[in-house]
Each structure stands twice: as C-alpha cells, then as structure tokens.
Amino acid sequence: MSAQTLQLAWRDPAEHWEEAVPLGDGRLGAMVFGGADGRYQVNDATVWSGTPALAAAELRRVVAGGAGPERLAEVRELLAAGDLDRAEAVLMTFEGRYSQEFLPFVDLHVRIPEAVVAGGEPARVLDLDRAFVEEALEVGGARLTRISCVEEHALVIEIDSDEPLPEVRVELSSPLRELARASHAAPGDLTLDVAVPVDGAPLHEPSVVPPLRYAAADDDWDGFATAALAVRSDGTTEADDSGLTIRHARRLLIALSSSTRAESWWAGADDEGRSVSRETIRDRARARAAEALGAHAARHTGSALTRHPAAARFAIGGQREGRWEIDGDVLHGDDDMLRATVAAEYGRYLLTASSRAGGPAANLQGIWNGELRPAWSSNYTLNINTQMNYWAAGPLGLPEAAEPQLALVERIARTGRDVARELYGARGWVAHHNSDLWGWSLPVGMGRGAPSWAIWMMGGVWLCHSLWDQYEFDGDVALLRDRIWPLLRGATEFCLDWLQLDASGAGHFSPSTSPENMYRDADGTPRALGLTATMDRELIRALFQRALRAIDTVDPGDPLRGEITAALATIPLPGIGRDGRLLEWSVEVPEHEPAHRHLSPLVGLHPLDLVTPQATPELAEASRSFLDARGPGAMGWSWAWKIALRARLGDGDAAHALLAEALTPYSGDARRHGPVDGSEWGGLLPNLFSTHPPFQIDGNLGFPAGIAELLLQSHGGVVHLLPALPAAWPYGRVDGLRARGGIAVDLEWADGGLVRAVLHNLRPEAVAVRGRHSGADFDVELAANGRSVVTNPPHPSPSGTDDGVRALTVRNS
C-alpha cells in the first residue's frame, strides 16, 4: 500500500475489542479485528433500546406523582429557607427513569482458515485519509489482501488472492434476539432479522431483571432491524443454517448493510400510528448491500473518503504522510510532535466516521459499542460530553459532521417543550443531564439519582451554544433563521421564566447545580443545591447575548428583545474568591472535591467567549488560578477541556503537558469502571481510543479541538494566529483550519514563530478581518472567495542571527 497518506499500523490482529480498529460512515460502524478469524463487530447508529413514546409516557407518570410547578415552588421555598435536605428529597420526585441504551447490532466473521500475517507486514493498516483497513495475509503459499471500508451505508470487504483460496467462511450472528434468518447459495446472500429491545435498564440499576425487555404481543412499538449480506466471488458458494462457505475463490466482494424501524422514525417516515413492515425493512437492507457491492466494484478500493475535501490537515513537526506503527511510533515513540499530529488526525477521522448528515449524532462511544449494557448507556450526556464531541467540527471545517447534533437538538426540543410546561410551568423547552435517540429530556434517576448530576436544567442551553458555533463558523444565515434560531428562542424563553430575582434585583437560578460537583455547608455536609452555580449564570448570560445577536440578524422586530435585554442586565458576573480563584458558586464555600474533573465554572472561557485575557483580564487570571488549583487531568474529556482552556489563556506549555498526559498508554483493565475522583488516570487504549476507563470517545474528539485552539483562535471578532503555540512544537504546518465567519486558514511556522498564513474567504461576499499574531494586530480585506497572505519573515540582527523580531506583511492575492 502506498504511504502517501496518513496510515496507522498494528503489528498483530486484535484479541480484544479495545484492540480492534474502527470504521464508519455515520450510520454503520465496524470494529475490525483482522487475522484468520476475520471478526467485524458491527453497530447501526439507530439500534437503541426504547420507543418514541417512552418520553411522553414517563412525563405523564412523573406528573401523576405530583411533580409540577406547585412542587417546584415548594422546592424554591425550602431552598430559600435553608432546608436543603427536604428540598433535595422533594426535587428528586421530578426524576424519571433513565434514558435508553445504544446497543451492539451484529457480528460478522469472514474466516480464512490457516491465514497468517504476511511476513514483514503489519497485521492491520488503517488509512485515515481514505478510510479503509488493509491486511496482508498468507495461506500456504498464497498471498492475499483483505481490505475493509464502510461506504454507501455498508461494510464492504474485498479479498484478493494470487492463488485460489481453499475456503472462506462467512457467518453472521447477533447478541440481540434473533427473529429469522435466511441464506442462499445463489446469489450468495444472507439476511438476519433481530428484535430491538423496547426498554433497557442501565448499569445504574443492576437489580432490574431482565435488563433488556423485548416487545410483547400487546406493545404498540415493534422495534426490529435487519442485517443483509451479499457475497460475490469467482468461486463456488454453499449455504447452510449459519452462513456461507466460498471455495476456490481468488476474488471476493462482501457487503453487509442494515435497515431498522428506528431509522425510518428518525427520518420522519414512521411514527406511532404508521409502522413500517418488516418486509420493507428487509428489502431496503438487501438493496443497500447490493448497491454497495455494485458501487464499490465500479470504483477502486479505497475510494471512500470520510475527510471533507476542505477539512484541516495537521503536520505538527512537518511530518504527516507515512505509515506510523502504533506501538513503536505513537504510543511508545519519542516524537512528541508526531504524536500530536496523530491525535488531531485520528480525532478528525473518528468524528467524520461517527457523524454524518442524515444520521443520528455521535454518542458517548461515537458509533462503536460491543456491550449489551454499555457504560452510561452509551447515551448522550449533556453536561459536557455530547457538546465536546462536536467542538472540533467548526475549527476543522466539518459542517456535514455537525449536522446530526442539530437534528438531535431538534428532537430533544420536541419532548422538552412538554417537560418545560408540565414540570416547571415555563415557556420554551428544557433538557437535563441525559438524552438518547428518542430525544429524552426529563431528569433521570428514578427518584434515586443524586441531584449533583441528575438535577441540572441547562443541558439544552449548552447544546444551543454548540449550534451557535455551527452558525458562526459557516455564517449561514438561512441555517440560523430556519433551524438554529427557533431552538435558541425556545431555550431563551425557558431561561427567562427560570430567572429569579432576589431582594436587590440581582438574578439567580433555583434550583441550580454545578454538574457532578458539590460544596460543603457550615456543618461540613456535601451539598449540591442551595446556591446558584457559576455555570448556570454563564450559560444563560451568553444565551441572552447570542439571542439578541440572532434577533438582529433574522428578526429585528421580535418582541422578545425587550424581555431579554431587561433580564440580561440582572445577571451578575462571576465572583472571585479571596484566594484569587473564580468561584464555582455564587458565594465562596469550602470545596467537597478540590480536584474535581469538571471545569464547569470556566465555561465562559471555553467554549464560550465571555472571558478573555484581553477583554476581562481579572476574570481570565481568576480562571487561570482555578485551573492551577484543579491540577492536571484525570480522563480523556477532562484533559481535552483543560487543554482548550489553557489555550484560551495563552498557556501553550501547560496545554502541551496536559496533552502529553492524555496520550500516555493506558495499562490497566480497560473494561473496569475506574473511579471518577481522579485517583486513577486514563490514557490511550491499544487502538488509540481514549479511556476513562471505560472508553468514551469525547476525549478523542476533544483533542483536535484543543490542538486547534493552540494554533488558531477566532472568538471575540479577532483571528488570532498561533495564540498558544507550545515551545515543544517549534515548527510545523496545518492547512484548512477554520475561523469564524467562513474563513479558512493555512499556517506554517518555524523557530516558534509564524512564517506564513493564508486566509481564504469561503463566502461569496467580501469581508474585513481583524487579525493578531504575537501581540501585533493587522487588518485584512478579503474579496468574495478571495485570499490574503500574511508573512512574518525574520529580520537578522547585525550579528547575522535571527533576533526574533519580525514584521507582519499582508498581501492580497
């Protein structure tokens, strides 16, 4: 295989899931094990437990139990009176059951008996640019390649051998309940129908038996899915009850596709009153497999390209293209800049592989899960993780990858309107800690979930900020007007009704929690409730500001403007403690867990832009002190957030140290659920997945976002070149980074300073850009679809050496 692309190589086939290599196209995900057994663990992004009706039914049950606006008023009165125990007990009656689970779908085995890794070759090579896995194998004296990719909604496997293979065995099974299977030697097809559970109990509830419940005869929703397999070869095919046997073939093409009822629901073609038949689902799966085979055969292997044509390419240290061994070069190598390049590129690859327009959003594990009861249900966790999954979409130029998050928020808002009205007597819509494919918006916990994590009403507000970033990077006013602003408006309405005023007229929010953290009261008791969290204030303050900007852009006459303006004036800025740290709550209180993994009060620094060293230096320094006190990382997503925060503060070397920690190989038990208190850190698994443990993809997807922030920032109306370049990265280049406003930026640097930056205007109208590098500001006028080159040549000192003084030169072209 040519090494003119970025390739990652593993020496051996995978024995365990955490060693397998991921492929995906946003709908179908596969973990490639390789070797003679040829296992592929396959997921479909729409195979979740649950039904569309569960959220509404659970809301009715919670309301019937007494939760609602009157009880909310009681909670607020108890909190105001200082009766925190009683307030907590009453508030927990607002909790519904848990959100549903993302489930494994099928296992495919493409066995080649007695195959071994070809001499001198790695066992598996993942091409990150062309999105396929290649294996070089030998059977007896025959040499063969097996290439796997996911395209056209299908896992496609191509086998080419220089001699006829005695046997290839193809088998298909599922950990879910099997409904029916059929195999046909001619034309070499398999179908497997499975039932998808209509209810799933998460690991939080180990006593629930059975943990997965399938539909009964009287259930309204019959969740089911079909996997269809098509095989074409130049050999002979025999079928039996468990699969296909192909003999004497030199060339095989295998395609596995799927179709589900939930997919039809997601696409709007199915609802509770109009089901899609199993025959329709089965026919669609068969057709997709056949179409994928035909399309793949018409092209050449490796033509699938998950990377958006204009997406960023990183070469920190100058090296990118090549075949890099995971053990020797990446996990245990000494090239720090190559490791950073791989982290950025692998995160970009995983985002495009797990999130594509038309499909569901990437969940806690992206699109890859091998467990019937995955950690945290492999759901959408809205207090950081789902948002972090998409932080890199804007800076890396991946608008198509960002679209599923917008579609998810639209579904959450539909159920969230009923929750806002019935539970809180509020306008608009609300979401809490978790969600799922069906748009769950209730608090979870079944009346037993600790308020520190289960009771948080800002999940939807934070999601809206992710959508605002999506708009800002592309500048698509039609997208803002038609899809994003209606969601921001609904979240704004909820927050306007959620706002409370104290006797002095200052705004506060009750109840309020700082996600998953607690403080200690005067008696030393850990508490989650009773004080307004800084995070709530910052999320709502930024939401009101952005709502006003949206109104100016799409609807200047919106009557909500006056209400927002008045409310915004009541929200105080974050407080600073006696030790100089930003406060996590509205008053200074003893911390229960000083090194807590969440950085919630710093949300105004990143990903928002309320706090910057230039505009709010005191708050920026208080944020720095807060970060210093929290210490280094604990698990992937926490490292990624700290890296981005340090980048916003200009602390490149501190960010680099955090990244070095995060990219350390993890040597513990990857299946064990590690403690969340930071006493045991995570790292990278053998397949480079970031682990808590267990595996969560938000770390992998957060790393490129943090790395991008070190190289380019564009919040606050300024395009800042190399704002936090670590000293350990003295030279390198990156092409195709994005700045807000539809600007693409190519950067090259050497000796720790800018050499050249090219700014491309991707929009059909001229734009003025304010830029900054190394303390010097510059202005650029970019013509429609035009570009400008910023150079920073060294000026030698009289001794003939570079004295570090450079003068920016701007040239339009």
Side-chain angles (χ1 to χ4, degrees), residues 128-141:
L128 292 181
D129 290 335
R130 292 182 288 178
F132 64 82
V133 173
E134 181 172 1
E135 304 169 69
L137 302 170
E138 294 177 343
V139 178

Side-chain angles (χ1 to χ4, degrees), residues 794-805:
H795 293 265
S797 67
S799 64
T801 61
D802 181 0
D803 63 5
V805 178

Side-chain angles (χ1 to χ4, degrees), residues 296-479:
H296 186 85
R299 295 191 295 267
H300 293 287
T301 298
S303 62
L305 183 66
T306 60
R307 188 180 63 82
H308 188 279
R313 283 175 172 257
F314 293 83
I316 299 167
Q319 293 189 98
R320 183 186 184 278
E321 286 75 17
R323 179 181 294 179
W324 310 110
E325 287 197 6
I326 296 304
D327 280 339
D329 297 313
V330 181
L331 287 177
H332 300 99
D334 57 5
D335 190 336
D336 173 84
M337 293 188 284
L338 173 64
R339 192 158 38 245
T341 296
V342 170
E345 291 283 348
Y346 194 55
R348 181 269 306 161
Y349 165 80
L350 291 174
L351 178 56
T352 59
S354 61
S355 185
R356 301 275 186 91
N363 59 55
L364 271 177
Q365 294 179 274
I367 197 175
W368 303 281
N369 165 44
E371 301 293 326
L372 283 172
R373 300 189 78 186
W376 302 287
S377 299
S378 195
N379 63 13
Y380 299 114
T381 303
L382 306 183
N383 65 15
I384 176 61
N385 314 90
T386 301
Q387 291 86 348
M388 182 179 287
N389 279 359
Y390 289 92
W391 283 356
L396 269 59
L398 298 169
E400 184 186 77
E403 197 282 335
Q405 188 183 41
L406 174 55
L408 173 67
V409 179
E410 288 172 330
R411 283 157 177 80
I412 294 173
R414 292 174 196 166
T415 66
R417 288 189 178 277
D418 293 336
V419 174
R421 181 183 63 254
E422 297 295 327
L423 283 193
Y424 306 126
R427 296 170 291 171
W429 65 278
V430 64
H432 297 81
H433 179 252
N434 292 125
S435 191
D436 54 25
L437 179 78
W438 316 106
W440 186 270
S441 55
L442 271 171
V444 299
M446 299 178 70
R448 297 185 291 275
S452 61
W453 59 268
I455 305 297
W456 188 62
M457 292 75 175
M458 296 293 108
V461 177
W462 198 351
L463 287 171
C464 283
H465 289 301
S466 296
L467 304 186
W468 181 261
D469 282 341
Q470 186 176 346
Y471 158 68
E472 279 210 314
F473 274 97
D474 278 356
D476 187 340
V477 174
L479 182 68

Side-chain angles (χ1 to χ4, degrees), residues 219-306:
D219 278 305
D220 294 330
W221 177 266
D222 181 12
F224 55 89
T226 293
L229 189 73
V231 179
R232 304 291 181 266
S233 78
D234 58 0
T236 60
T237 303
E238 299 174 4
D240 56 40
D241 291 342
S242 58
L244 302 169
T245 302
I246 300 97
R247 293 189 173 90
H248 310 301
R250 295 179 62 172
R251 176 172 170 79
L252 293 90
L253 274 179
I254 303 167
L256 171 68
S257 193
S258 64
S259 186
T260 75
R261 187 176 177 191
E263 171 197 0
S264 297
W265 174 84
W266 180 268
D270 186 15
D271 58 31
E272 296 174 57
R274 184 179 67 256
S275 65
V276 176
S277 71
R278 293 186 186 178
E279 289 75 16
T280 300
I281 296 295
R282 190 180 298 116
D283 290 346
R284 186 162 57 200
R286 284 173 169 164
R288 283 173 170 163
E291 289 167 4
L293 274 189
H296 186 85
R299 295 191 295 267
H300 293 287
T301 298
S303 62
L305 183 66
T306 60

Side-chain angles (χ1 to χ4, degrees), residues 124-260:
R124 294 164 295 155
V125 176
L126 170 63
D127 191 309
L128 292 181
D129 290 335
R130 292 182 288 178
F132 64 82
V133 173
E134 181 172 1
E135 304 169 69
L137 302 170
E138 294 177 343
V139 178
R143 186 180 177 94
L144 63 101
T145 59
R146 180 168 57 197
I147 297 178
S148 311
C149 62
V150 178
E151 56 181 16
E152 307 288 340
H153 189 88
L155 167 64
V156 180
I157 303 159
E158 179 181 341
I159 300 174
D160 275 297
S161 174
D162 57 13
E163 298 289 342
L165 296 170
E167 178 180 305
V168 177
R169 177 67 181 172
V170 179
E171 295 179 350
L172 191 62
S173 61
S174 176
L176 302 175
R177 178 177 293 175
E178 194 172 307
L179 296 173
R181 67 166 55 230
S183 59
H184 307 279
D189 295 344
L190 288 173
T191 57
L192 178 63
D193 297 343
V194 300
V196 179
V198 296
D199 196 8
L203 287 174
H204 298 84
E205 296 293 328
S207 62
V208 177
V209 179
L212 295 172
R213 185 179 71 82
Y214 291 88
D218 57 349
D219 278 305
D220 294 330
W221 177 266
D222 181 12
F224 55 89
T226 293
L229 189 73
V231 179
R232 304 291 181 266
S233 78
D234 58 0
T236 60
T237 303
E238 299 174 4
D240 56 40
D241 291 342
S242 58
L244 302 169
T245 302
I246 300 97
R247 293 189 173 90
H248 310 301
R250 295 179 62 172
R251 176 172 170 79
L252 293 90
L253 274 179
I254 303 167
L256 171 68
S257 193
S258 64
S259 186
T260 75

